[in-house]
Amino acid sequence: MAQLMEDDVFKAFTTYAAIVTLKMILMGPVTVYFRLTRGSFTNEEDVAWKSGEEKKKFLKSHPDVERVRRCHLNDLENIVPFFFIGLLYALSGPELSSALLHFRIFTGARIFHSFAYILVLPQPSRGLSYFLGMLVTFSMAYSLLSKVFFL
Ligand code: GSH
């Protein structure tokens, strides 16, 4: 493992994988922020400190909270595959420049996707960032499989 950590491609993968994973984890606190500011909770115990009638007012969904939750889910749909494919790709011995290009474009695309989703930027900004990120994952998968394909 220590030897692997000396490999530049693996170091680059670790860096960008950590950045996108932290970005994804941040969606949790952002959801909490929207829940608190929009007064939108789903669990009885979360509003236990409110009185009877007031409880009902807080136990409701809010479009802003649902938007952040969808953004978080979209991260899971895309960042988890990036992690697995990216790890195998990094281990398959790609050129550093090519690997860096893949990791940087994916990271930039996913950060932009979150801003586009939460700030409600006009389409096709979110759609394009989603496709760009997915394209990177497919490109890494193609590069990986063209080296190791074995049925
Ligand atoms: N699970 C996604 C969906 O239901 O839309 C699959 C397609 C997708 O990820 N589309 C991108 C997106 O941001 C670009 S339009 N979808 C919104 C979302 O997942 O909530």
Side-chain angles (χ1 to χ4, degrees), residues 42-119:
T42 42
N43 304 301
E44 282 271 340
E45 64 274 23
D46 296 345
V47 291
W49 44 281
K50 294 277 174 195
S51 62
E53 265 312 294
E54 248 195 332
K55 257 185 204 173
K56 278 189 198 148
K57 220 175 76 187
F58 284 90
L59 281 176
K60 58 165 171 44
S61 64
H62 189 283
D64 292 347
V65 174
E66 295 312 311
R67 177 174 284 276
V68 187
R69 279 162 57 78
R70 289 196 302 276
C71 185
H72 198 165
L73 180 64
N74 196 275
D75 270 353
L76 285 164
E77 289 172 356
N78 291 279
I79 292 174
V80 173
F82 165 81
F83 190 86
F84 283 109
I85 299 285
L87 177 62
L88 296 172
Y89 167 76
L91 293 174
S92 71
E95 285 290 322
L96 177 63
S97 57
S98 171
L100 273 173
L101 191 68
H102 281 88
F103 302 155
R104 284 175 180 160
I105 293 176
F106 182 85
T107 304
R110 290 314 304 181
I111 291 173
F112 184 84
H113 181 273
S114 298
F115 277 107
Y117 215 159
I118 294 168
L119 301 177

